[in-house]
Amino acid sequence: MRTPRLALLALLVPLACAQAPPLAGTWKGTQTFTRGTQTTTVETTYVLSASGATFSGLVFTRGDRREVVNGTVDGTHLAYGLRNPFVPESTPQPFTAELTADGLAVTAVRRPPPPGTPARAGRGPAPPLVLHRISDDTVYHLPPALAHAPLPPFRALPPNGLALTPPMGWNSWNKFHAAVNDAGVRAMADTIVSSGMRDAGYVYVNIDDTWEGTRDAQGNIQSNSKFPDMKALGDYIHSKGLKFGIYSSPGPKTCAGYEGSYLHEDQDARTWASWGVDYLKYDWCSASSVYGPEEMKQAYEKMALALRATGRPIVLSLCEYGWLDVGEWGAAAGGNLWRTTGDISDRYASMANIGFNQNGRESAAGPGHWNDPDMLEIGNGGMTDDEYRTHLSLWSLLAAPLLAGNDLSKMTPDIRAILTNRDVISVDQDKLGRQGTRVSQQGSLEVWKKPLAGGAAAVGLFNRGDQPASLTVTWSDLGLPARPRARDLWTQQDLPRAAGYTAQIPAHGVVLLRVR
Ligand code: GLA
């Protein structure tokens, strides 16, 4: 008969000996996040290969793909980084994990916040992630419902002849997000006309994310209840002398979690053409879950070809946040414009950080194919009028698309005057289609120049500081005639003929000149 002590030992021995499973293979786990009354469960898949004391692999979660970099194994302890493979130059986020008989317990290594940082309300630590090994598979396979045939090899497409100057119009996202509907879009179309914006060049009325409903039995995409009749809405927009824009994703879901065009590209293009769509913003969002970086170009080209096959001229706007040097291939993939950055917000720091960082991308821009530093925030209330003048001046020097993002029906006369300043718009819409560049920078003062058709140039004198400042330029230093004609495009005053000019510039402000 066993003594109690022996019985305890008999119980413990198998536990202590339980082997941790091999690391290589496919692992899955879930985390449950609670925010207020909302609970979401997020599934994560790790697909790992191991070799000696190192490992590598891919991680899929929330529609994203990450690659494992610098993975090391020390006994049961793992250390590694996760990096977005579409942004290979980005810094990997550090992780550690413990391999036990129960699974792989994963922890994100967070840098402690600087002392004195207030805790963010409602955000506790992330719930633990414990992965369980579900197979030996070291290669990721899409779930059968999401599997796709290999994409045809990429081939450079000829231009579609559209967007010979940067597109101008209005888009619903920056102000309305999901609070966009048929009546609201019609109201914007009415106001674009009555405010004079259409006549100043703003012609596209673009519905962003959250219009999408479910697919019918044949797989045709339908709008949701906020948009009862897309064809009728398109007709209404066209009846005002405007053009109609829509939004989708090459992935299964859009960024707001609505139906994307994945595996329905041709069908969706035909549906949009039947609604009278003139412009598509095609937003990467969840497409990383179904395409690797080597497939991104083809995924965009697929939609470009689908749009072209409809026979309807449709501007194609690529939105993939500037990943994988999109300026190098965006036009060849059929894009008329492509985002170069993450999302803008209605704050000076966001706008300035995006806008002033566009220098160096100019060779990608030209008639039919534009860099897109994101839509305008002018009139949304988070910046001063001087800052909004900087926003429009900088975007115009950059030959950026000008898509207003405010509630046009509540626009003040000052905001309307900024958005409709035709002299500034003419810098953006100049037929030469050259993107301007930074000529000089001294502390917070910057000089930018954009060559214009007919030998003229636009010159932007920017004060990024938070105090008014004066800035002197000598025209010949800028490669301009020694005593040129120069006009201030915001005050609409001609400058005295002289060898240079000293501008008084408000904090975060600009003086924009046309010089020849
Ligand atoms: C992304 C885009 C935004 C907007 C939203 C919609 O964040 O960058 O411009 O389209 O998706 O969900």
XYZ file of all heavy atoms in Angstrom, residues 171 173-174 177 208-210 247 254-258 281 283-285 319-321 339 341-344 374-375, ligand 1:
239
model
N -15.128 64.819 -49.119
C -15.218 63.430 -48.657
C -15.813 63.423 -47.250
O -15.558 64.310 -46.437
C -13.812 62.790 -48.662
C -13.782 61.418 -48.009
O -13.974 61.281 -46.803
N -13.545 60.390 -48.796
N -15.396 61.428 -44.604
C -14.795 60.777 -43.430
C -14.368 61.730 -42.319
O -14.717 61.541 -41.151
C -13.604 59.905 -43.846
C -13.060 59.137 -42.676
C -11.909 59.384 -41.988
C -13.687 58.016 -42.035
N -11.772 58.481 -40.963
C -12.852 57.634 -40.961
C -14.871 57.319 -42.250
C -13.172 56.571 -40.113
C -15.188 56.254 -41.408
C -14.342 55.896 -40.352
N -13.570 62.754 -42.661
C -12.913 63.531 -41.596
C -13.913 64.126 -40.610
O -13.643 64.203 -39.413
C -12.051 64.634 -42.205
C -10.728 64.079 -42.721
O -10.455 62.882 -42.569
N -9.914 64.913 -43.345
N -17.362 60.529 -40.227
C -17.093 59.119 -39.946
C -18.333 58.285 -40.311
O -18.823 58.397 -41.424
C -16.656 58.927 -38.486
C -15.391 59.695 -38.183
N -14.147 59.143 -38.309
C -15.188 60.975 -37.817
C -13.234 60.046 -38.026
N -13.834 61.170 -37.724
N -17.173 57.997 -48.015
C -16.090 57.149 -47.487
C -16.708 55.903 -46.854
O -17.822 55.502 -47.191
C -15.233 57.975 -46.503
C -13.803 57.483 -46.390
O -13.569 56.524 -45.622
O -12.905 58.039 -47.053
N -16.007 55.292 -45.946
C -16.413 54.028 -45.322
C -17.769 54.161 -44.613
O -18.134 55.238 -44.163
C -15.327 53.645 -44.287
C -15.295 52.163 -44.002
O -16.186 51.448 -44.457
O -14.345 51.736 -43.314
N -18.428 53.048 -44.464
C -19.668 52.776 -43.695
C -20.942 52.861 -44.534
O -22.039 52.851 -43.985
C -19.840 53.632 -42.391
O -20.325 54.929 -42.741
C -18.566 53.734 -41.579
N -16.116 54.204 -51.824
C -14.999 53.683 -51.030
C -15.117 52.174 -50.904
O -16.214 51.645 -50.732
C -15.076 54.334 -49.650
C -14.194 53.748 -48.572
C -12.985 54.345 -48.242
C -14.587 52.616 -47.870
C -12.182 53.822 -47.243
C -13.784 52.087 -46.866
C -12.589 52.698 -46.557
O -11.793 52.178 -45.563
N -13.522 46.439 -44.619
C -12.974 47.798 -44.654
C -12.390 48.133 -43.283
O -12.527 47.359 -42.330
C -14.075 48.820 -44.974
O -15.000 48.835 -43.881
C -14.798 48.465 -46.266
N -11.787 49.313 -43.187
C -11.167 49.679 -41.906
C -12.212 49.821 -40.799
O -11.910 49.605 -39.632
C -10.371 50.973 -42.045
S -8.966 50.831 -43.159
N -13.447 50.185 -41.155
C -14.489 50.295 -40.128
C -15.236 48.968 -39.967
O -16.264 48.921 -39.287
C -15.452 51.426 -40.476
N -14.746 47.905 -40.597
C -15.321 46.576 -40.376
C -16.497 46.240 -41.288
O -17.216 45.270 -41.035
N -16.691 47.033 -42.362
C -17.781 46.742 -43.296
C -17.266 45.829 -44.427
O -16.075 45.532 -44.503
C -18.337 48.065 -43.862
C -19.129 48.842 -42.832
C -18.486 49.492 -41.771
C -20.511 48.913 -42.897
C -19.203 50.193 -40.810
C -21.241 49.616 -41.937
C -20.583 50.252 -40.897
O -21.289 50.935 -39.961
N -12.051 55.262 -53.796
C -10.944 55.219 -52.820
C -10.845 53.774 -52.346
O -11.823 53.219 -51.822
C -11.231 56.158 -51.653
C -10.240 56.068 -50.499
C -10.562 57.131 -49.458
C -9.787 56.956 -48.168
N -10.196 57.948 -47.150
N -9.037 51.227 -50.030
C -8.312 51.352 -48.762
C -7.845 49.968 -48.274
O -8.672 49.085 -48.043
C -9.278 51.996 -47.747
C -8.587 52.501 -46.510
O -7.383 52.214 -46.334
O -9.258 53.182 -45.703
N -6.565 49.777 -48.087
C -5.962 48.479 -47.813
C -6.611 47.776 -46.615
O -6.956 46.614 -46.659
C -4.460 48.661 -47.609
C -3.702 47.383 -47.530
C -3.091 46.859 -46.436
C -3.463 46.457 -48.605
N -2.481 45.672 -46.754
C -2.703 45.405 -48.081
C -3.826 46.423 -49.948
C -2.287 44.321 -48.849
C -3.416 45.340 -50.709
C -2.661 44.313 -50.170
N -6.705 48.438 -45.475
C -7.379 47.915 -44.267
C -6.978 46.478 -43.971
O -5.830 46.200 -43.685
C -8.896 48.043 -44.402
S -9.443 49.719 -44.733
N -5.204 53.763 -51.213
C -5.017 54.197 -49.829
C -4.327 53.055 -49.113
O -4.972 52.079 -48.738
C -6.383 54.531 -49.230
S -6.312 55.057 -47.524
N -3.015 53.126 -49.026
C -2.260 52.087 -48.300
C -1.150 52.734 -47.494
O -0.149 52.116 -47.207
C -1.792 50.954 -49.219
C -1.142 51.371 -50.517
C 0.319 51.720 -50.330
O 0.592 52.868 -49.897
O 1.181 50.895 -50.638
N -1.403 54.036 -47.160
C -0.638 54.733 -46.116
C 0.835 54.924 -46.480
O 1.678 55.133 -45.604
C -0.794 54.013 -44.754
C -2.088 53.209 -44.685
C -2.104 51.818 -44.579
C -3.316 53.872 -44.818
C -3.297 51.105 -44.601
C -4.513 53.161 -44.838
C -4.492 51.783 -44.729
O -5.670 51.082 -44.768
N -2.246 57.583 -51.186
C -1.901 58.152 -49.888
C -0.426 57.904 -49.612
O 0.115 56.843 -49.953
C -2.770 57.517 -48.811
C -4.169 58.113 -48.736
C -4.202 59.297 -47.816
N -3.935 58.820 -46.475
C -4.878 58.307 -45.697
N -6.142 58.248 -46.089
N -4.579 57.865 -44.494
N 0.754 58.670 -46.373
C 0.896 58.696 -44.906
C -0.299 58.015 -44.245
O -1.289 57.717 -44.902
C 0.909 60.145 -44.366
O -0.426 60.667 -44.437
C 1.837 61.034 -45.141
N -0.205 57.874 -42.924
C -1.356 57.468 -42.118
C -2.379 58.599 -42.080
O -2.237 59.610 -42.780
N -3.379 58.440 -41.223
C -4.504 59.381 -41.238
C -4.147 60.735 -40.634
O -3.503 60.814 -39.586
C -5.684 58.797 -40.458
C -6.304 57.620 -41.186
O -5.739 57.167 -42.199
O -7.368 57.161 -40.735
N -4.645 61.783 -41.282
C -4.506 63.144 -40.764
C -5.522 63.330 -39.636
O -6.524 62.616 -39.571
C -4.750 64.167 -41.894
C -4.274 65.563 -41.491
C -6.226 64.197 -42.314
C -4.230 66.548 -42.662
N -3.352 63.024 -47.708
C -4.648 62.868 -47.024
C -5.527 64.107 -47.195
O -5.092 65.162 -47.668
C -4.483 62.500 -45.538
C -5.692 61.697 -45.020
O -6.650 61.496 -45.790
O -5.659 61.273 -43.850
N -6.761 63.940 -46.770
C -7.806 64.928 -47.063
C -7.674 66.142 -46.157
O -6.969 66.125 -45.158
C -9.163 64.256 -46.882
C -9.270 63.007 -47.752
S -10.727 62.017 -47.467
C -10.447 61.339 -45.846
C -8.639 54.513 -43.046
C -8.359 55.633 -44.036
C -9.236 56.818 -43.716
C -10.694 56.403 -43.766
C -10.947 55.247 -42.820
C -12.339 54.678 -42.984
O -8.257 54.860 -41.757
O -7.002 55.991 -44.005
O -8.995 57.874 -44.625
O -11.033 56.047 -45.082
O -10.029 54.187 -43.056
O -12.566 53.567 -42.175
